Amino acid sequence: MQIRHVDAGSCNGCEVEIGSAFGPVYDAERYGARLVASPRHADALLVTGPVTRNMLEPLRRTYDAVPGPKVVVAVGDCARNCGVFAGAYGVAGAVRDVIPVDVEVAGCPPRPEAITEALRKLTGR
Amino acid sequence: MNPIGAALGGAAAVGLLAAVVAVVVPQRVRAWAAGVGTAVCGAAGLTAGIYALSGTTFFLTLPALLPLSGVTITVDALGGVFLAVTGAVAVAAGVYGIGYARHGGDGRVVQAVFPLFVVAMLLVVCAASVGTFLVCWELMALFSLLLVVAEHKRRPEVAEAGRWYAVMTHLGMVAILAGLLVLAAHAAGDSFPALRDAGRHLPPAVAAVVFVVTLAGFGSKAGILPLHAWLPRAHPEAPSPVSALMSAAMVNLGVYGIVRVGFDLLGGGPRWWWVVVLALGAVSAVYGILQAAMSTDLKRLLGYSTTENMGLVLVGVGAAGMFASGGNRVLAGLALAAALLHVVNHSAFKTVLFLSAGSVLHGTGSRDLDALGGLRTSMPATTAAFGLGALAASALPPGTAFVSEWLLLQALIHGLPASGTITAIAMPLAVAAVALTAGLAVATFVKAFGVGFLARPRSDAAENAQESPASMLIGMGIAGAACVGLALLPGLVLPAIGSVAGRVVDSSSPMLADAVTVQLVGVAGSLSPLMLTIALVVAIMLVIGVVRAVAARRARRAARLWDCGAGPMSARMEYTATSFAEPLQRVFDNVLQPETDVDVTHTRESSYLVEAVQYRRQVPDRIERRLYRPVLALVAVWGSIGRRLASGSVHRYLGYGFYTVCGLLILLVVTR
């Protein structure tokens, strides 16, 4: 499973946890999940943060750029329902308002175990 | 009447007439007169060359035309090759010049000199005495100089290029003059047959001096290292049809001179002469194409590519000389045939390339590759012509240069079993140099074509480009057709060139060629460019067909180009010529020694804050820096010392005159 991470407007808390999930302690890569540098190489998108107005169009385009079949994972409370940023002037909505979401990971930020668990559901290992 | 005589007489008459007409008629029709005159002149030269190649010879002596020595003209088969090439290039350049003159450069002198330059070049290869040869050579140099400086009023760089060219071409002329005069002093007269008789019985030291000195002179004309410095300056600054004539016809005459003096007049000579020629050729080829790969100026790139190709030709000539001195006449004929074929091929594709580069300059006003791009849509015919030329220059099938470089490699590789330590060392190195050159040439022309013509326009000038007028396109079309013909059916010219090469080195023709296949004689090897091309096209069609068939089975989804999610990509994100060449520059860092210069300007308030960063990078010609700068500095010092003599005092000047006369009188008294 090749994963492209998209920061749609996150506070970077979720990024720290994703980094930890792929770090030496949790090492999500041993379950077959790999972070890649381009949506053209990806099977899945890992989206963090509420979708800000600036990232609305880039997120849609990134989704379009991923070859099918594809999966979207929304990581963190902001990605699920805008979290503490709900109703803010720069926020366009949650990730599911913009692109179809397949897996959601709760938490502010979610623990690395939760992220790894969600990824293991995708990879099936 | 002899057909060659008629054709040559016609060429000279038409050239002179066109020059007179171009001076007299109003500006509107001046370019027509000069262009048509040049083209007719070239066609006559081509006809004469073809007759000479088919075995006709022509002698003419006009004792009264030139005081003291008279004019002697002989056209033989070797001269015929160069006559035909020069003529053919002049046809394309002449037709092209009609439309190009509107771009500027339709001045009276320039248009009048254009056909005269062609006549002078045609006469150089017909000259059969030292006097005639030197006069024609000098006329050619002067006419080309006038054409190079045609645009000196509009651009100051032209004047500088003209100065370089004037100095170097005349130093070359002095070298040739000295060499031929030494040879003539040992002969019964100054005609070539007399020199030929004397050349076989010269003392080795004198023959060596003659050969080395004339090699320097002819080598500077051919743009061979280290005397190439004028070439990448003069060729870009000259008007494009003139660049084509100089690069595709004039530099060939340097090769003609080396072959004529080395093989014909001096009768071969020892092996070390030709080892020198081979080494100079190999170094020029690699260095020339390396500089071309770094150039961002389209015409400068083509100029360096000329140095490269002349280097390859000299590799062939040098190998031929080495084989001939070792007694292997068949291989010598093969190597010389490869060299002569490369002369012909280089002329064809360099004409296309320079003419289409001129068309780009005409349509956009720029020849900076970093400011071009996207010409495919606005200048389709020019793009097609340049693409054809770039393919031909790349030494890949189905290109033109492929055939001649294949022949050259065949000669070099089969030279390995030939005896001698020097041959065993020189041949593998020459093969490596030719291979490296071929690879770099591909990179260079991919850069020139891809960056210059494809992608998106990088400037307003490139965006608003206009296709050139019909006459320019016809000129490019003529040269392009020659390229295609030479690439697919080299069998049409190879028998003639093979027999010329065979005659020069006293052997039979080194190859048999029918319309389709070239078969080498004496060594195993055959090539069929037409079949190769057909196979290539069929293979490409097959791959495309299979891919299409496989793709049609699955549903296709159209998605926009991935641009990192941010708006449309701009032309500033494209590869430029500089960035494309950067990896190569890194690889050859030690040879090229690029100069980078970073200026950081800090804000007034704090030296920690940066206000502006200026970055400059250039790849200078290292030989020019290391070899020419010190010499020029020395000359400047000498000049400033000499200036002390000229203090401005009339008394002193009168004193100089007085003492000089006294000194001369004393000298006469002492010596008599």
Side-chain angles (χ1 to χ4, degrees):
Chain A
M1 177 72 69
Q2 312 253 56
I3 299 163
R4 173 70 193 155
H5 167 232
V6 180
D7 178 346
S10 161
C11 70
N12 275 25
C14 296
E15 274 70 28
V16 172
E17 303 304 325
I18 291 173
S20 177
F22 282 89
V25 177
Y26 297 94
D27 194 11
E29 210 160 287
R30 70 194 148 133
Y31 301 116
R34 249 182 96 219
L35 289 178
V36 293
S38 166
R40 288 279 196 236
H41 305 158
D43 306 305
L45 284 182
L46 199 63
V47 189
T48 54
V51 182
T52 55
R53 289 190 304 196
N54 280 346
M55 282 302 288
L56 184 63
E57 195 53 38
L59 179 61
R60 277 201 194 114
R61 288 187 187 165
T62 310
Y63 181 75
D64 285 340
V66 178
K70 51 194 161 189
V71 182
V72 176
V73 185
V75 176
D77 285 346
C78 297
R80 293 174 66 216
N81 52 26
C82 299
V84 293
F85 298 109
Y89 74 96
V91 172
V95 175
R96 80 168 82 86
D97 302 335
V98 182
I99 53 175
V101 172
D102 301 285
V103 181
E104 292 188 333
V105 184
C108 183
R111 295 185 56 81
E113 294 97 319
I115 298 172
T116 314
E117 193 187 339
L119 293 177
R120 286 182 70 183
K121 271 184 196 157
L122 299 186
T123 61
R125 286 166 73 182
Chain B
M1 191 178 171
N2 189 312
I4 296 180
L8 274 183
V14 170
L16 289 176
L17 186 71
V20 173
V21 170
V23 171
V24 175
V25 295
Q27 195 169 13
R28 224 163 4 93
V29 286
R30 192 180 295 153
W32 271 97
V36 171
T38 307
V40 171
C41 203
L46 179 63
T47 317
I50 289 172
Y51 271 112
L53 280 174
S54 65
T56 320
T57 46
F58 172 65
F59 305 94
L60 178 71
T61 318
L62 300 167
L65 195 59
L66 205 65
L68 296 180
S69 73
V71 168
T72 315
I73 280 179
T74 305
V75 182
D76 58 1
L78 176 62
V81 176
F82 291 89
L83 262 185
V85 167
T86 309
V89 173
V91 171
V95 174
Y96 179 92
I98 297 170
Y100 189 81
R102 270 180 240 164
H103 174 62
D106 55 352
R108 200 162 271 149
V109 176
V110 175
Q111 293 297 326
V113 166
F114 195 43
L116 291 179
F117 177 42
V118 174
V119 173
M121 282 196 291
L122 292 176
L123 289 181
V124 166
V125 290
C126 303
S129 71
V130 173
T132 316
F133 184 81
L134 290 174
V135 167
C136 294
W137 189 267
E138 181 60 16
L139 280 178
M140 175 182 82
L142 285 179
F143 288 144
S144 59
L145 178 61
L146 284 175
L147 290 170
V148 166
V149 296
E151 293 173 9
H152 72 103
K153 277 185 188 151
R154 275 190 292 165
R155 291 181 291 129
E157 314 89 87
V158 176
E160 204 215 328
R163 271 199 293 278
W164 273 85
Y165 179 50
V167 171
M168 294 206 59
T169 195
H170 280 100
L171 287 180
M173 167 80 186
V174 168
I176 297 167
L177 178 77
L180 289 184
L181 286 186
V182 169
L183 180 55
H186 286 78
D190 82 330
S191 71
F192 280 4
L195 298 187
R196 212 166 281 144
D197 289 338
R200 321 266 151 164
H201 313 295
L202 275 186
V206 177
V209 167
V210 171
F211 182 73
V212 169
V213 171
T214 51
L215 176 65
F218 289 126
S220 83
K221 187 53 92 185
I224 292 301
L225 251 55
L227 302 171
H228 67 293
W230 64 272
L231 199 146
R233 288 164 193 273
H235 286 212
E237 302 301 347
S240 291
V242 177
S243 311
L245 271 178
M246 286 173 67
S247 192
M250 191 181 74
V251 294
N252 293 344
L253 301 184
V255 175
Y256 167 78
I258 293 169
V259 173
R260 176 66 84 191
V261 172
F263 282 108
D264 190 19
L265 300 186
L266 296 176
R271 179 160 46 180
W272 70 265
W273 292 7
W274 304 105
V275 175
V276 170
V277 172
L278 183 104
L280 286 177
V283 171
S284 301
V286 174
Y287 188 83
I289 196 62
L290 207 50
Q291 287 289 342
M294 294 303 129
S295 301
T296 54
D297 179 328
L298 186 55
K299 287 179 77 177
R300 191 176 163 85
L301 182 150
L302 296 179
Y304 272 120
S305 158
T306 301
T307 291
E308 170 232 340
N309 283 292
M310 286 301 117
L312 289 177
V313 170
L314 281 206
V315 168
V317 172
M322 283 176 75
F323 294 139
S325 67
N328 195 339
R329 299 275 158 189
V330 177
L331 269 186
L334 182 61
L336 192 61
L340 291 180
L341 182 66
H342 199 68
V343 165
V344 175
N345 287 342
H346 168 249
S347 298
F349 68 70
K350 199 44 71 67
T351 309
V352 180
L353 288 171
F354 261 120
L355 294 187
S356 44
S359 175
V360 170
L361 187 60
H362 184 274
T364 65
S366 172
R367 41 173 223 250
D368 182 6
L369 281 173
D370 286 347
L372 293 173
L375 301 178
R376 186 181 38 168
T377 45
S378 49
M379 307 179 80
T382 304
T383 305
F386 193 92
L388 184 68
L391 181 66
S394 298
L396 287 177
T400 322
F402 170 70
V403 184
S404 43
E405 290 191 28
W406 178 82
L407 277 178
L408 183 58
L409 284 173
Q410 287 290 332
L412 294 177
I413 289 169
H414 284 103
L416 277 181
S419 61
T421 321
I422 295 175
T423 317
I425 296 170
M427 289 302 144
L429 287 178
V431 169
V434 172
L436 180 59
T437 309
L440 287 172
V442 174
T444 306
F445 283 100
V446 164
K447 178 186 89 170
F449 185 64
V451 172
F453 292 83
L454 306 181
R456 289 193 193 175
R458 294 181 183 78
S459 64
D460 292 341
E463 193 154 11
N464 305 322
Q466 298 282 321
E467 186 59 283
S468 305
S471 60
M472 286 169 69
L473 298 183
I474 294 171
M476 286 187 266
I478 294 171
C483 265
V484 173
L486 284 169
L488 296 185
L489 301 168
L492 297 181
V493 293
L494 261 177
I497 286 177
S499 71
V500 171
R503 213 171 301 165
V504 170
V505 296
D506 299 328
S507 127
S508 57
S509 176
M511 64 199 73
L512 300 168
D514 55 29
V516 181
T517 310
V518 180
Q519 185 92 35
L520 302 187
V521 176
V523 296
S526 64
L527 176 72
S528 170
L530 184 61
M531 290 299 156
L532 202 63
T533 309
I534 291 173
L536 208 64
V537 170
V538 167
I540 291 171
M541 289 297 191
L542 216 63
V543 169
I544 292 175
V546 167
V547 168
R548 285 256 171 98
V550 170
R553 286 197 187 162
R554 277 193 280 171
R556 285 164 71 96
R557 181 171 67 96
R560 60 179 277 149
L561 185 72
W562 176 241
D563 51 10
C564 295
M569 287 197 273
S570 75
R572 288 197 54 177
M573 298 173 180
E574 290 172 348
Y575 261 104
T576 59
T578 313
S579 59
F580 188 86
E582 207 272 343
L584 259 183
Q585 184 207 306
R586 264 166 203 274
V587 172
F588 292 98
D589 211 30
N590 289 327
V591 184
L592 293 166
Q593 296 201 326
E595 292 175 358
T596 47
D597 192 9
V598 183
D599 275 348
V600 181
T601 318
H602 298 285
T603 54
R604 250 186 314 154
E605 289 78 14
S606 162
S607 63
Y608 294 111
L609 299 176
V610 173
E611 193 167 33
V613 178
Q614 205 173 44
Y615 174 81
R616 273 189 306 273
R617 187 209 70 137
Q618 57 169 343
V619 185
D621 192 324
R622 200 176 165 193
I623 291 179
E624 206 176 296
R625 285 280 161 101
R626 290 285 167 86
L627 194 69
Y628 286 73
R629 283 283 172 85
V631 173
L632 289 180
L634 213 65
V635 170
V637 169
W638 190 35
S640 61
I641 292 171
R643 203 176 295 159
R644 283 188 212 148
L645 291 174
S647 59
S649 150
V650 179
H651 300 104
R652 253 179 121 162
Y653 296 164
L654 286 173
Y656 290 152
F658 174 69
Y659 288 119
T660 310
V661 170
C662 289
L664 276 177
L665 287 176
I666 291 167
L667 194 72
L668 281 178
V669 168
V670 172
T671 50
R672 282 292 160 100

